[in-house]
Amino acid sequence: MKKNVYVYLAATALLVASYRQCSNSEVVAPRNTAQTKEPAPPSVAATERKKQTELETWEPTPEEKSIQEATVAVLHGKVVDEFGHPVPNAEIVCKPNNDPWINSLRRIVIRSDADGRFFLREANAASLSVSASAAGYYTSKASSGGYSFTDLPLSMPENLRKRALPKTQSSSENPVILTLRKMGSREPLLERRRSGVLQDTQTYLIGTTENHQIYIKYWLDTAVKRMHINGWPVHDWGVEISVKNGEIVSTAKPDSSNPASFMAPLDGYQAKIEQTFDSSMDDTKQKRGILGDFFVRFKDGTFARLELDLQSSPTRPWGIVASLYNPSGSRSTEFDPSIQIELPQNR
C-alpha cells in the first residue's frame, strides 16, 4: 500500500531534525561518580527507533484521507541564479504527492517564463516535490524543494506534528524561490567514459586523434604480506599514469562555486604520476584504490581533465576513466552537456 503523503511530509522533516540534532550535540562533562546515579536517558538511537516506529505505523483516519485527496495544490515560483537574476526557460519538474518509497505516478514538466516565473495548479495533490534545471547552470539543494498544501491531521502524533513540513503559502508577489548557480566559461567539450578490468598496461583515448591518449600501468603482487589494522589483506601494488605526447598534473576536485578550479594550470605538469603502496607503509597510508582528478596538457596545445577511480584486487582489479577534452586550445574544462561535442562513431 502506498504510504500516505502526511507520513512523507513528517519523514522529510524528521530526517532534517535528526541531522540538526547530531550537528548541534554538545560534549557534556562526566558526572561525579560519587554522586547518586540517575537512570540514564534513552539513547539517541533508541529515541530515533521509537520515532521511526511511529512514522511507519501511524495512519490518518478515512476522513483525513479524503481531505488529502480533495486538496488542490497551488504554487507560484521563480527560478533565479545566485545573484538573484531570473533564469528564463528553466525546466521545472513537479511530482505530486511524491513518495520516498514508491515512484510518483505523475510527473509534470513546465518551463519558466522570461522573468523566471512559473505556476503550478494540481488537483489531488496534498504535496508537491519541485526541482529546477537549466542549460548553463548547476543544480543544488537550493534548486529543489518540497511543499505541503494541507493542514496537518488532528490524529497525527505530536512527535510527528513538530517535524512535519508547514503549509506552503505563495503568491505572484511572494513566490517560492529556486536557485541555480551559473556556470563559468563554457565551451564545447568531448566527454568520454570507460570502465572495465585493469590490465598490466591499458590505453585510453580521450581526445579526437591517436595523439590524445593516456596510459595506465597497473601492477600487484598477489602475495598477502600482512593484514591491515581494519582486517583486509595488504598487497604490494601500484599505478603509473602517463600521457602520449603530453604531460599530467594532479589537482583537487573542481568546485562549481569556483569557476577558476575548472581551468587547467599553465605549469606543474610532469611526464608521469606514479603511486605505489607496499607492506612497509603505515596502515594510515595504505589504500586499496585511487580516486582522483587530473589535468592533461598535450603537445598540440590542447587540454583535458580526468577523473580516475582505480581499484586494486588480486582477482578483479577495476578502473573507471572519465575525461573531458577541449579541442579549442582553451584551458577551460567546465562541462555543459547541452553544448558537448558529439562523440565520433566507433571511437
Side-chain angles (χ1 to χ4, degrees):
M1 179 180 293
K2 189 178 188 299
K3 296 284 185 181
N4 189 276
V5 69
Y6 294 124
V7 179
Y8 163 63
L9 297 175
T12 303
L14 178 59
L15 291 174
V16 173
S18 299
Y19 171 79
R20 289 175 177 170
Q21 181 178 3
C22 294
S23 300
N24 298 330
S25 59
E26 298 179 354
V27 178
V28 180
R31 291 172 176 264
N32 188 334
T33 54
Q35 296 177 349
T36 303
K37 293 185 178 180
E38 299 178 358
S43 67
V44 172
T47 302
E48 293 306 314
R49 282 196 298 270
K50 180 180 178 182
K51 293 175 183 177
Q52 186 64 28
T53 300
E54 277 190 325
L55 182 66
E56 295 174 348
T57 58
W58 172 77
E59 285 284 347
T61 66
E63 293 78 11
E64 291 168 342
K65 288 182 180 180
S66 65
I67 293 175
Q68 170 201 326
E69 293 171 355
T71 300
V72 177
V74 177
L75 185 70
H76 295 262
K78 185 176 183 180
V79 185
V80 301
D81 64 16
E82 68 270 35
F83 304 108
H85 303 143
V87 179
N89 201 38
E91 183 179 84
I92 315 298
V93 177
C94 169
K95 293 182 180 180
N97 301 328
N98 194 23
D99 193 307
W101 292 274
I102 302 175
N103 290 332
S104 178
L105 298 179
R106 285 188 286 169
R107 184 176 185 271
I108 300 97
V109 180
I110 61 174
R111 294 277 177 178
S112 62
D113 64 17
D115 297 320
R117 294 180 178 274
F118 64 91
F119 175 74
L120 290 163
R121 183 184 181 89
E122 284 295 315
N124 185 19
S127 70
L128 295 178
S129 176
V130 182
S131 61
S133 62
Y137 294 83
Y138 293 108
T139 59
S140 67
K141 290 182 180 179
S143 59
S144 62
Y147 307 97
S148 172
F149 302 91
T150 183
D151 293 321
L152 297 179
L154 296 176
S155 67
M156 177 180 278
E158 186 64 23
N159 180 49
L160 301 184
R161 181 179 295 275
K162 291 178 180 179
R163 293 166 172 78
L165 295 175
K167 190 174 181 179
T168 300
Q169 301 291 339
S170 67
S171 65
S172 57
E173 294 78 22
N174 184 33
V176 300
I177 301 297
L178 301 180
T179 304
L180 299 172
R181 181 180 292 278
K182 193 176 178 93
M183 291 182 176
S185 176
R186 298 178 299 126
E187 297 182 24
L189 304 180
L190 178 62
E191 181 189 33
R192 295 180 186 270
R193 184 180 181 88
R194 290 179 59 187
S195 61
V197 176
L198 284 177
Q199 300 173 359
D200 290 344
T201 301
Q202 199 151 337
T203 302
Y204 296 89
L205 177 65
I206 64 176
T208 55
T209 74
E210 297 301 323
N211 292 321
H212 304 132
Q213 299 183 80
I214 64 168
Y215 305 119
I216 296 181
K217 182 179 180 181
Y218 165 80
W219 64 271
L220 178 140
D221 183 347
T222 57
V224 176
K225 304 300 181 179
R226 59 182 179 82
M227 298 302 292
H228 191 272
I229 190 173
N230 292 328
W232 46 271
V234 174
H235 299 269
D236 292 340
W237 73 282
V239 170
E240 179 187 286
I241 309 163
S242 59
V243 183
K244 180 179 181 180
N245 298 311
E247 299 174 299
I248 187 171
V249 62
S250 179
T251 183
K253 192 169 190 65
D255 180 4
S256 62
S257 65
N258 178 20
S261 64
F262 292 92
M263 300 293 290
L266 291 172
D267 50 29
Y269 294 88
Q270 50 191 312
K272 63 182 180 180
I273 290 179
E274 185 175 12
Q275 295 192 31
T276 59
F277 304 90
D278 62 68
S279 55
S280 65
M281 295 174 62
D282 185 83
D283 279 350
T284 59
K285 297 180 180 179
Q286 289 287 345
K287 293 182 180 180
R288 290 187 287 180
I290 296 173
L291 180 65
D293 292 75
F294 307 83
F295 283 111
V296 170
R297 179 177 61 187
F298 293 103
K299 288 184 178 180
D300 63 4
T302 58
F303 294 85
R305 175 161 54 90
L306 301 176
E307 296 180 4
L308 303 183
D309 184 358
L310 311 175
Q311 300 298 321
S312 70
S313 168
T315 56
R316 191 174 175 80
W318 192 261
I320 299 175
V321 178
S323 63
L324 292 166
Y325 172 73
N326 190 336
S328 72
S330 165
R331 295 185 291 121
S332 175
T333 64
E334 189 165 11
F335 183 55
D336 183 351
S338 67
I339 58 173
Q340 66 179 305
I341 298 173
E342 185 176 351
L343 188 67
Q345 292 184 353
N346 303 321
R347 297 300 295 274

